Amino acid sequence: MRMSNIILKISDGELFNFFDSEEKKEFTVGSKRTCDVVVKGFFVAPEQLRFIQKNNVWYVEDLTPEGYKSEVLTGGKRFKRPVVRFDSDIVIRKTGEKRGDTVKISSVKKITRKRGGSNFDLTQKTLTVVGRDPSCDIVVDNPMVSEKHFRIVYDGSDYYIEDLRSIGGTFVNNRKIRRARLGDYDRISIPSAAYTFYERKLLYSTSPAGIQIDAVGVTKDVADRKSHGKVRLVNAVSFRIEPGAFVAIVGGSGTGKSTLLDCLNGLRPATDGGIYYDTNAYYDNIRSYKNVIGYVPQKDIMHDDLTVETALRYTAMLRMRSKMPGEEIRARVKEAIADVKLSGRENLKISALSGGQRKRVSIAMELLSDPKVIFLDEPTSGLSPDLDLEMMDLLKELAGKGRTIVVITHAMENLDKCDRIAFLGKGGRLCFYGEHKDVFRYFNRKSYSRIFAALNDDTLCAYFESKYRSGEYYKELYSAFCEQYADAKACMLPPETGKKTLRQTAEETSAAEVRARRTLADKAAEWKAAIKAKRAARHPAEEERHTAEEETRPAAVRTQDCTAEDAGFRPEREAAKLSPEEESARAGGDAESALPADVDIPEAAPAQMTESHDKVHEYAEETHVSDDLAEDPVDAPPRPLAEKKRGRPRKKQPSPVAETAADGTEESAADDSVNAGAEEAQNDVHALSEGTNDAVKKQSAPRKKKAASAAAEEEDEA
């Protein structure tokens, strides 16, 4: 074989190894540690073979000692001469063993790559090296990548990947490997770069602009200690963050913003749904992505006594590879300081910086590792409006340099800098995801404070969530996710067939309240039945008479009794409904109350309608029951709605126990007689006590008179 260097494949059973002579003219093979190629077979001699190159031809010399337990074969035959030409496989085996443990050494055909193309055709080169060194076949310019990180070897039939003792490690399908055989669709990942092996090619899996993040039906439930149940913080959120996009997550307090951010970065994984980075399941490959993600918490974690440069240099020494030269570390620190626009303040202490400058230092610490995704929790908290603008401009600039930026913020003044905005409502519902220019028209509000007030209302929040799911963006997203991800249909909310009106949303809300009241009505029925059973056991004759009278009562009277089926809801609400003109007149001409049931709320509805929560709740009580409850008629009459609007005092509804007492006056006659007897006995006791007191007074009167006369006599004698 005429080649300047030789590549060997050493196979020991299922184990294998590769060796590149790298311009060496001579090297040895054996079990001794000082050998160039170490083979750990128990029957291998300390120095078994020597490879020698002469005139671009490789020869093999057998170094096996006489009488040793192993032998060397070439071409299936033993060595006839001490030195033979290496033109076929070499086998080392135990002496006399035709079958058993063997070590096979074969040469890999050397192929020279033809450069060109964005994807790497691995059939054009025997050895493909990936790393930071400019001499590598694939150069990855990232401080977390070693000079030579890993290599792929093609032996003519199969492909093998081997880690070159890198600091960050090489991952194949989220498993850290030393060496492995590659198959189609295997994912190879190193810090800041990922590849997919397919049909003898190495395909880029990471966009140069950043990482694409797909949230597919993300749901987060936590345990409630008081109720011993579950509380939903994020409710089936689905959206896509494009590579290199600047996205803001906003909403009122307690709407699940931080929880959603932690679901995206993996600090608090979602209980249902999935997160995908570049279409790869993030939770399954979280180890391989740990070096490409940056996270800036709300509270800055820095040592106040250090200068800016010193703090960044210590951070770089902790996060970068241990053998990184000092000059390269200083260059990386200087670049990070320039990215956050802190040049000229390198020698200032952290304690002397303003709030905005401290936040910039925190961002610079994350930029040292050149992440592809940066998550920030309230980076503008406590900053003045001008500093808030500078911070948003900085994040926008960083997103333009090939990074995906996701930020949580309460500052609304500079949201126009973001590419997309996600509005979360009460209960972690995604009510809007789109561009800034569409926000006010979508919500039909003139300010962010009014939007937050609307998203804090259950009815309005459900309405806007259904409105988002009825849009074209969500329909296309649903179709794409169901095609790409197998479990998308199980965790995503399906698109709405038509945009729900506020009237329909109010009906569903009222229906849920009816279900809750019926649960209480079932308990009331149980109490009523228990009371009747107890009275029947005490007075069976009275109970039989009451049952007979109940059957003879008119139906109109019997319907006044509350049962488990109809408690909490009244059908006369339908009869009490007013016409749209009357509703408008009594509501003061409100446009919302005058809408018919089949009319949607227009996009440019009056502010008087859209900004009043009381009108919404009032309107919900006027609407019909939803379809699933309309099939179950209720008999008990309610208080008319017109009476409520006129301001008449509401009559107190009797409790189930009170209703039972009112209905069973006749059946409690025996109890009344017993009570009357008890009252007579109490009166007798009272009279007896009064008579006893009078007798005591009569007996004590003569004694008092005698004592008074004796006292008068003593005074006369004195």
Side-chain angles (χ1 to χ4, degrees), residues 29-209:
V29 179
S31 60
K32 195 175 180 180
R33 292 183 178 182
T34 57
C35 294
D36 299 291
V37 181
V38 179
V39 182
K40 296 182 179 180
F42 70 95
F43 52 89
V44 179
E47 291 187 354
Q48 193 93 46
L49 300 171
R50 179 185 288 113
F51 285 77
I52 305 172
Q53 183 190 14
K54 294 182 179 181
N55 299 325
N56 289 331
V57 178
W58 284 94
Y59 298 89
V60 182
E61 181 182 2
D62 187 7
L63 304 179
T64 307
E66 293 184 4
Y68 201 75
K69 56 185 176 181
S70 63
E71 56 184 1
V72 180
L73 291 82
T74 178
K77 300 178 181 179
R78 296 196 60 180
F79 272 50
K80 296 181 181 181
R81 297 180 300 277
V83 180
V84 298
R85 186 173 179 175
F86 182 47
D87 55 2
S88 62
D89 298 337
I90 296 178
V91 176
I92 305 174
R93 71 181 184 185
K94 191 176 181 181
T95 304
E97 292 282 343
K98 294 184 178 181
R99 295 181 180 179
D101 295 332
T102 60
V103 175
K104 183 179 179 180
I105 301 176
S106 57
S107 63
V108 179
K109 184 179 179 180
K110 189 174 181 181
I111 305 173
T112 304
R113 175 189 298 279
K114 298 179 180 179
R115 296 186 178 272
S118 59
N119 302 323
F120 295 89
D121 189 358
L122 300 177
T123 62
Q124 298 181 3
K125 200 172 189 298
T126 305
L127 224 62
T128 302
V129 183
V130 180
R132 294 188 67 226
D133 196 298
S135 62
C136 295
D137 300 284
I138 303 176
V139 180
V140 181
D141 188 12
N142 187 277
M144 303 297 295
V145 178
S146 302
E147 298 294 331
K148 293 184 178 180
H149 206 93
F150 72 90
R151 65 184 178 186
I152 297 177
V153 183
Y154 175 53
D155 65 350
S157 59
D158 296 322
Y159 294 86
Y160 302 87
I161 183 172
E162 185 176 15
D163 183 75
L164 300 178
R165 301 182 183 274
S166 64
I167 302 300
T170 303
F171 297 82
V172 177
N173 300 329
N174 199 38
R175 183 174 61 88
K176 193 174 183 179
I177 57 95
R178 182 71 180 90
R179 61 179 66 89
R181 178 180 294 178
L182 292 176
D184 285 347
Y185 304 103
D186 282 347
R187 183 178 178 276
I188 306 168
S189 60
I190 61 176
S192 78
Y195 309 91
T196 301
F197 177 80
Y198 178 71
E199 292 185 350
R200 302 183 176 184
K201 293 182 179 180
L202 200 63
L203 310 177
Y204 278 118
S205 180
T206 303
S207 172

Side-chain angles (χ1 to χ4, degrees), residues 383-403:
L383 301 182
S384 60
D386 57 335
L387 295 179
D388 178 86
L389 177 60
E390 292 181 2
M391 180 61 65
M392 298 298 283
D393 287 334
L394 173 63
L395 297 178
K396 181 67 175 179
E397 184 178 346
L398 294 177
K401 295 181 179 180
R403 300 181 180 93

Side-chain angles (χ1 to χ4, degrees), residues 241-263:
I241 301 177
E242 300 293 339
F246 181 23
V247 177
I249 302 175
V250 300
S253 300
T255 55
K257 302 185 299 297
S258 298
T259 304
L260 178 59
L261 189 74
D262 291 344
C263 291

Side-chain angles (χ1 to χ4, degrees), residues 254-302:
T255 55
K257 302 185 299 297
S258 298
T259 304
L260 178 59
L261 189 74
D262 291 344
C263 291
L264 295 176
N265 58 34
L267 292 179
R268 289 185 290 174
T271 55
D272 193 14
I275 303 295
Y276 297 88
Y277 283 24
D278 291 330
T279 68
N280 299 298
Y282 174 59
Y283 295 154
D284 296 336
N285 301 274
I286 193 169
R287 294 180 60 194
S288 61
Y289 281 106
K290 66 179 181 179
N291 293 319
V292 301
I293 295 177
Y295 177 72
V296 180
Q298 183 176 358
K299 185 178 180 181
D300 301 319
I301 304 174
M302 294 175 290

Side-chain angles (χ1 to χ4, degrees), residues 398-443:
L398 294 177
K401 295 181 179 180
R403 300 181 180 93
T404 303
I405 307 295
V406 184
V407 60
I408 294 177
T409 181
H410 280 103
M412 304 289 106
E413 291 82 4
N414 302 301
L415 286 182
D416 57 333
K417 303 293 182 180
C418 301
D419 298 318
R420 288 190 176 270
I421 307 172
F423 276 84
L424 293 183
K426 192 175 182 179
R429 299 174 176 177
L430 182 59
C431 298
F432 174 80
Y433 185 73
E435 299 180 4
H436 174 267
K437 62 180 181 178
D438 301 328
V439 172
F440 296 103
R441 185 174 180 273
Y442 179 89
F443 290 105

Side-chain angles (χ1 to χ4, degrees), residues 505-523:
T505 306
E507 290 176 353
E508 295 179 356
T509 304
S510 63
E513 295 176 356
V514 169
R515 295 189 186 97
R517 290 199 296 268
R518 287 187 174 182
T519 303
L520 298 177
D522 293 339
K523 295 181 180 180

